[in-house]
């Protein structure tokens, strides 16, 4: 009887020791998945009747995906004006960038959307909107689009889309996928709103092979 108990106790000690050994092996390793979140589609924010959706830094669509110090980072987002009065994007700034440029349409017409992103992205999004009209109809000025907006739905959801490009210039610290940086959007009437922007998810399929150094790091 005593011999059987000793065997049970001995087996338990061996099992506990093996578990501790495995825990010790993993405790000294810091993996990227432990410290960073995966790239996501974007953040949200609101200033008065203006709603910012899917706000993010454009993904570089390469294996590293990070924005290095001194680089420029274009933004992608949609600003919807759910109010009855027009507003305007006055400026964009970030504590992690030296400056920011805003080009294209800055007015956010009441009951409309302003798409911010690279020109190619803007063309692809606007195409479905112009399927029932001439291609030039999406290029109307803010004043003309306000008077020529028969497409507004009964629910008040914005349907017309303008386009602008915003680029953060001179990134001060490296931005990795899963990290966020604060970006402040200042509007003429709605005022400022700060949103923590991530790097968006890749828009193409990436085939990335781990380096030899990374493969040799495990044990």
């Amino acid at each position: 009887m005593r011999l059987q108990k000793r065997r049970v106790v001995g087996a338990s000690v061996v099992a506990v020791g093996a578990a501790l050994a495995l825990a010790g092996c993993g405790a000294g390793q810091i993996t990227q998945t432990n410290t960073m979140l995966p790239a996501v589609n974007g953040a949200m924010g609101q200033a008065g009747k203006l709603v910012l959706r899917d706000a993010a830094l454009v993904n570089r669509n390469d294996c590293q995906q990070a924005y290095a110090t001194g680089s420029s980072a274009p933004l992608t987002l949609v600003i919807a004006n759910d109010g009855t009065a027009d507003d305007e994007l006055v400026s964009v700034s970030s504590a992690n960038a030296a400056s920011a440029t805003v080009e294209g349409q800055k007015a956010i017409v009441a009951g409309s959307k302003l798409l911010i992103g690279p020109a190619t992205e803007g063309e692809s999004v606007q195409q479905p909107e112009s399927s029932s009209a001439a291609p030039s109809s999406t290029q109307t000025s803010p004043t003309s689009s306000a008077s020529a907006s028969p497409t507004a739905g009964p629910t008040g959801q914005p349907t017309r889309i303008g386009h602008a490009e915003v680029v953060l210039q001179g990134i001060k610290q490296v931005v990795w996928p899963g990290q966020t940086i604060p970006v402040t959007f200042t509007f003429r009437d709605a005022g400022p709103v700060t949103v923590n922007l991530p790097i968006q998810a890749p828009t193409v399929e990436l085939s990335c092979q781990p380096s030899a150094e990374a493969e040799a790091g495990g044990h």
Side-chain angles (χ1 to χ4, degrees):
M1 187 68 177
R2 289 182 179 179
L3 180 59
Q4 183 178 0
K5 287 184 178 180
R6 287 178 182 175
R7 287 178 179 175
V8 172
V9 172
S12 301
V13 171
V14 171
V16 172
L20 290 175
L22 290 173
C25 179
Q29 298 180 0
I30 300 177
T31 62
Q32 187 175 13
T33 53
N34 282 341
T35 58
M36 306 172 80
L37 297 173
V40 294
N41 288 330
M44 292 186 64
Q46 185 166 357
K49 293 293 184 178
L50 302 181
V51 181
L52 287 66
R53 301 189 180 101
D54 299 326
L57 276 63
V58 173
N59 195 295
R60 295 174 54 204
N61 287 333
D62 61 17
C63 292
Q64 189 176 27
Q65 301 185 47
Y67 281 98
T69 302
S71 63
S72 299
L75 305 186
T76 175
L77 68 145
V78 175
I79 304 175
N81 187 343
D82 293 333
T84 56
D86 298 352
D87 209 327
E88 182 179 346
L89 177 61
V90 177
S91 65
V92 178
S93 62
S94 173
N96 197 25
S99 62
T101 58
V102 182
E103 297 182 355
Q105 179 176 318
K106 298 181 181 180
I108 309 104
V109 180
S112 73
K113 295 177 182 177
L114 177 63
L115 173 70
I116 294 178
T120 52
E121 180 182 344
E123 291 167 1
S124 65
V125 173
Q126 289 188 44
Q127 209 145 17
E129 294 290 328
S130 58
S131 58
S132 59
S136 58
S137 63
T138 58
Q139 302 299 325
T140 53
S141 63
T143 14
S144 61
S145 64
S147 57
S149 179
T151 55
T155 59
Q157 287 294 101
T159 53
R160 297 185 64 83
I161 299 179
H163 182 256
E165 293 184 50
V166 177
V167 180
L168 299 180
Q169 306 286 349
I171 295 296
K172 297 179 180 179
Q173 294 182 344
V174 179
V175 184
W176 295 93
Q179 293 179 324
T180 61
I181 65 171
V183 178
T184 300
F185 301 85
T186 302
F187 301 96
R188 182 190 63 206
D189 300 324
V193 57
T194 300
V195 185
N196 291 318
L197 269 56
I199 295 178
Q200 72 174 159
T203 56
V204 298
E205 185 177 352
L206 301 177
S207 299
C208 304
Q209 298 296 330
S211 63
E213 182 181 351
E215 289 181 342
H219 62 279

